[in-house]
């Protein structure tokens, strides 16, 4: 499947886990360069190719397409140890990675003390955020505090030693305040991580110029994010968000290209809604239904294995995501998970705590936790869709459901996924 235009952004439009990895994998056919623009190893993209399953955390899923150049942009916080575990695992499984993976010299490096601080802070916090404990937040804190370590810093041993030494002092002091200690394990991990520096530098590149050169040469570029719009640091359900900007605008700052280079923005949504971690989920199912859909959809985190909370499709959120990302099209995933349900609901608005009905997504996270969704009810199709490959072959009620999602989101449906395999995709002519 080809991508329209020379530069496409793929962005999640819910709370992450929308199935972006599969959509990126499908859209990667015929693409020359794929770049990840934010996040870290807290993301998990699961892709099924035939009987094989690949779970990717930092390397773009386009690596599964031979010849594609895969980049990690300056907006990423790179967990060096995990990155090379992933890199070597792909190579061991027969995926050609040599010369195909590049890392921005401007990308910040996530080091073992970031993971230690993340776990310690979450454990001691009165108000839990529900982090993965992978060190993403502390790494972005160091970046914003202008005390981080970038890939470029690995070229100067003296400068690197000074920055790391200062960081370790800060970490040990903070751990002491929290009643914890670093222990010998930190020293071992630090030695292992910094020992990978020369290997990382061999992959270093300037992603902005590389992508710009590819575009000027008429090549096709795909930019992918991690997490989803509702986890964006500015536009999500703050403070229950990630530590970076997940929306389409971050594709520019996170790779080093300008906004006029982007032609297409594809928003990925599940046919229902899920959320992992803390924070409100307005359309959450009752416990019995929650467990039922979780099992039907295999709703467990690809990175942590944590069970995801499930709920009905929230068009208030998807409409907000269409606006903030400037979507040109939607990819709807996991439609097949709804195949057996007799009745479906879609939240078209929220009834606020004061009784007002709002169609906009509120900035006040605390109000969001108290809203009552205004639902529309539609009949299910109760027919298997996993083998369908054309929109016209879907059950009538499934097409009606997709039409209503399109109307309420105010973005056209361009792709529909009806299973985990890369072949289980329906392309909708626009």
């Amino acid at each position: 499947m080809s991508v329209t235009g020379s530069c496409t952004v793929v962005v999640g439009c819910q709370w992450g886990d929308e199935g972006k990895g599969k959509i990126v994998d499908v859209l990667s056919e015929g693409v020359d360069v794929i770049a990840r623009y934010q996040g870290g190893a807290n993301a998990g993209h699961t892709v099924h190719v035939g009987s094989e399953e690949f779970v990717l955390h930092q390397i773009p899923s386009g690596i599964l397409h031979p010849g594609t150049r895969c980049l990690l942009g300056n907006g990423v916080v790179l967990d060096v140890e995990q990155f090379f575990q992933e890199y070597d695992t792909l190579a061991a499984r027969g995926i050609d990675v040599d010369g195909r993976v590049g890392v921005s010299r401007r990308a910040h490096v996530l080091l073992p003390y970031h993971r230690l601080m993340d776990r310690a802070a979450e454990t001691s916090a009165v108000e839990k955020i529900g982090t993965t404990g992978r060190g993403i937040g502390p790494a972005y804190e160091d970046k914003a505090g202008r005390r981080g370590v970038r890939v470029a810093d690995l070229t100067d041993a003296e400068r690197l030693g000074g920055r790391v030494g200062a960081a370790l002092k800060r970490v040990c002091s903070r751990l002491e305040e929290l009643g914890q200690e670093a222990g010998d394990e930190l020293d071992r991990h630090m030695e292992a991580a910094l020992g990978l520096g020369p290997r990382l530098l061999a992959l270093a590149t300037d992603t902005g110029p590389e992508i710009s050169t590819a575009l000027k040469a008429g090549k096709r570029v795909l930019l992918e994010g991690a997490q989803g719009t509702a986890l964006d640091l500015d536009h999500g359900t703050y403070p229950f968000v990630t530590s970076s900007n997940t929306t389409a605008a971050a594709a520019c700052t996170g790779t080093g290209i300008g906004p006029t280079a982007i032609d297409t923005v594809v928003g990925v949504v599940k046919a229902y809604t899920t959320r992992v971690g803390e924070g409100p989920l307005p359309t959450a199912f009752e416990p019995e239904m929650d467990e039922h859909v979780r099992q039907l959809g295999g709703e467990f985190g690809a990175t942590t294995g944590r069970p995801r909370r499930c709920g009905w499709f929230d068009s208030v959120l998807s409409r907000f995501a269409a606006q903030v990302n400037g979507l040109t099209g939607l990819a709807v995933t996991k439609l097949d998970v709804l195949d057996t349900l007799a009745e479906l609901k879609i939240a078209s608005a929220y009834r606020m705590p004061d009784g007002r009905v709002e169609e906009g997504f509120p900035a006040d996270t605390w109000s969001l936790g108290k809203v009552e969704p205004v639902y529309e009810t539609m009949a299910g199709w109760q027919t298997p869709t996993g083998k369908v490959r054309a929109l016209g072959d879907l059950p009538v009620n499934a097409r009606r459901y997709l039409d209503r999602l399109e109307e309420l989101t105010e973005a056209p449906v361009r792709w529909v996924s009806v299973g985990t395999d890369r072949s289980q995709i329906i392309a909708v002519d626009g």
Side-chain angles (χ1 to χ4, degrees), residues 87-286:
Y87 187 97
D88 293 339
T89 298
L90 286 168
R93 294 182 66 177
I95 305 299
D96 179 20
V97 292
D98 289 344
R100 295 182 55 209
V101 180
V103 178
S104 171
R105 291 184 177 88
R106 292 176 168 83
H108 279 249
V109 179
L110 187 153
L111 291 166
Y113 55 75
H114 291 125
R115 292 193 293 269
L116 191 62
M117 278 301 306
D118 197 357
R119 291 193 291 268
E122 183 74 359
T123 299
S124 62
V126 175
E127 181 179 82
K128 308 292 185 185
I129 300 298
T131 77
T132 61
R134 299 301 176 99
I136 309 304
Y140 276 114
E141 285 180 37
D142 278 356
K143 177 179 179 177
R146 293 162 291 187
R147 54 179 179 263
V149 174
R150 303 197 300 173
V151 172
D153 292 323
L154 301 177
T155 61
D156 188 318
E158 184 176 352
R159 181 173 68 238
L160 177 63
R163 295 188 77 79
V164 169
L168 288 172
K169 287 181 181 178
R170 288 194 303 269
V171 169
C172 290
S173 176
R174 180 59 178 151
L175 287 175
E176 187 176 342
E177 291 175 10
L178 296 173
Q180 302 187 37
E181 58 181 29
D184 296 336
E185 183 183 358
L186 177 59
D187 291 335
R188 291 196 299 271
H189 280 291
M190 285 298 297
E191 184 177 355
L194 294 175
L196 292 168
R199 193 177 177 195
L200 184 61
L201 285 172
L203 303 179
T205 184
D206 285 325
T207 54
E210 183 170 341
I211 293 170
S212 296
T213 298
L215 291 172
K216 289 175 183 176
K219 295 184 177 181
R220 290 181 171 176
V221 174
L222 187 64
L223 309 179
E224 66 164 354
Q227 290 89 39
T229 297
L231 293 178
D232 183 271
L233 184 59
D234 286 279
H235 302 289
T237 50
Y238 190 90
F240 305 105
V241 293
T242 193
S243 301
S244 60
N245 289 112
T246 63
T247 45
C252 297
T253 55
T255 57
I257 63 171
T260 54
I262 295 171
D263 304 285
T264 306
V265 181
V266 177
V268 186
V269 294
K270 275 179 185 165
Y272 49 102
T273 307
T274 63
R275 178 167 196 168
V276 69
E278 304 297 325
L281 179 64
T283 62
F285 292 133
E286 294 297 322

Side-chain angles (χ1 to χ4, degrees), residues 405-423:
L405 298 193
E406 182 177 87
E407 290 170 359
L408 289 169
T409 301
E410 299 176 1
V413 173
R414 294 290 182 238
W415 296 275
V416 181
S417 173
V418 290
T420 58
D421 194 80
R422 64 163 46 153
S423 67

Side-chain angles (χ1 to χ4, degrees), residues 41-61:
N42 55 340
H45 291 169
T46 303
V47 180
H48 292 85
V49 182
S51 61
E52 292 195 83
E53 179 183 272
F54 295 85
V55 180
L56 301 165
H57 297 279
Q58 295 185 94
I59 297 174
S61 54

